[in-house]
Amino acid sequence: MKRPDNLTTKIFLDGGDPNETREIIALLGFLDGQTTNPSLVAKNPLFQECSNGDTACTDDDLWRAYKEIVTEISPLVPESVSIEVYADKDTKAESMIEKGLELNTWIPNAHIKLPITTEGLKAASALTEQGLKVNMTLCFTQDQAAAVYAATKTANPGDVYLSPFVGRLDDRNEDGMSYVKNVVKMFKDSDHHVSPLVASVRSLEHFMYSLSLGADIVTAPGSILREWAEAGMPVPDSSYEYDAGELVAFDYQEKNLEEDWQNFDLSHELTDKGIERFAADWNNLLK
Ligand code: E4P
């Protein structure tokens, strides 16, 4: 197989195993990039190796394993590999900046993943001003998306990925894809320094609808990309009908992208919970 001619959305794999990356490339005939996160890489056997025997993994062991994984993935995908900093509710921007600068030296095509919090946005602003690329994660509201745009104004097109999380909204009976549609619309006539990257994709329908909306990027687990391949890699046009069932749709909100980012409301329960979960998955390996 090869990239379908009418496919404009970039396809990323959401995972933490280079073997899976190779398998998906062999299956699709191409793969544009990869996203990783602490929960995904924690499943890689490399992360468990240090805990064999009586000693626990150290923080250095975990970062060494993470580096080994993304270093192997990096040359396989042309566009980007997202690497997530460690962040819990108390992590300051300075620490994310320091870690981001270090992670960026690992590979030539890194996007540094940061949470959309006040500290994460301060870090994003500082890192993009220094020419680094970022992926702003755990995005659940248009306010958060607008704040990312406003905080990274100096970035070039493609340098800032914004990850709206579909599945986690669906999990609480909200229509995650209607939110993605709103985000895509909000950035349609912008300067495009922010690229919507649909994340937390849980079904082939999520994936297909992302293509039909013309999202810049969609990241999907290997299972969904295999389903897409089995279906012959169809690329739906804008007439694709997505059935959200009983999920409650989000209304579109007009936002002024020229405002100061600090004026936007950054709070969302799922962002807080997501940060907690990523930090817990990482810290559990240290026990
Ligand atoms: C990718 O960047 C995200 O971290 C990932 O898609 C989250 O997916 P989940 O909500 O299924 O954990």
Side-chain angles (χ1 to χ4, degrees), residues 15-274:
D17 179 357
N19 291 327
E20 189 182 40
T21 311
R22 279 187 278 269
E23 178 218 321
I24 294 297
I25 293 169
L27 186 67
L28 303 183
F30 78 100
L31 183 66
D32 296 306
Q34 176 137 358
T35 47
T36 68
N37 68 38
S39 309
L40 288 170
V41 288
K43 292 185 197 142
N44 189 301
L46 260 188
F47 268 69
Q48 319 296 336
E49 262 176 26
C50 52
S51 60
N52 287 341
D54 295 335
T55 54
C57 301
T58 64
D59 205 43
D60 280 351
D61 288 331
L62 299 187
W63 288 110
R64 209 172 303 123
Y66 201 172
K67 182 175 182 179
E68 205 171 305
I69 292 166
V70 297
T71 304
E72 204 175 325
I73 294 170
S74 166
L76 304 174
V77 291
E79 288 280 330
S80 157
V81 183
S82 291
I83 320 171
E84 191 150 342
V85 301
Y86 174 84
D88 58 33
K89 62 179 177 29
D90 300 318
T91 309
K92 294 286 176 214
E94 291 68 32
S95 142
M96 293 187 217
I97 293 167
E98 193 187 338
K99 197 73 206 178
L101 288 168
E102 182 198 331
L103 302 181
N104 192 55
T105 64
W106 287 1
I107 53 172
N109 52 353
H111 272 75
I112 307 302
K113 260 177 123 177
L114 302 161
I116 306 177
T117 56
T118 302
E119 297 302 311
L121 280 175
K122 282 185 198 163
S125 183
L127 290 174
T128 49
E129 269 172 27
Q130 293 181 56
L132 274 74
K133 300 176 179 183
V134 296
N135 176 350
M136 302 308 293
T137 192
L138 293 164
C139 189
F140 298 99
T141 69
Q142 269 188 253
D143 257 49
Q144 290 179 327
V148 166
Y149 185 95
T152 57
K153 280 273 175 58
T154 56
N156 293 316
D159 284 1
V160 180
Y161 294 163
L162 175 90
S163 295
F165 273 40
V166 176
R168 296 192 195 186
L169 285 168
D170 282 13
D171 287 344
R172 49 183 229 171
N173 294 324
E174 294 174 313
D175 177 8
M177 286 310 300
S178 71
Y179 167 58
V180 167
K181 186 177 178 186
N182 293 342
V183 168
V184 170
K185 178 176 172 185
M186 185 166 80
F187 291 132
K188 196 167 184 299
D189 297 320
S190 68
D191 68 8
H192 295 283
H193 76 270
V194 174
S195 307
L197 179 162
V198 187
S200 187
V201 164
R202 304 272 175 78
S203 66
L204 186 60
E205 288 73 27
H206 284 161
F207 181 83
M208 295 283 280
Y209 192 34
S210 303
L211 302 189
S212 98
L213 289 173
D216 289 331
I217 306 160
V218 57
T219 190
S223 55
I224 309 280
L225 295 178
R226 284 180 207 104
E227 269 187 66
W228 185 51
E230 261 168 45
M233 291 165 53
V235 180
D237 63 19
S238 57
S239 65
Y240 180 81
E241 284 184 26
Y242 174 73
D243 181 6
E246 303 289 300
L247 301 176
V248 179
F250 289 91
D251 290 333
Y252 183 75
Q253 302 164 333
E254 289 298 338
K255 297 286 168 198
N256 177 6
L257 299 177
E258 300 310 316
E259 261 195 54
D260 186 325
W261 69 265
Q262 319 243 18
N263 292 341
F264 293 104
D265 179 6
L266 297 178
S267 61
H268 197 279
E269 193 193 352
L270 291 180
T271 304
D272 297 342
K273 281 192 175 162

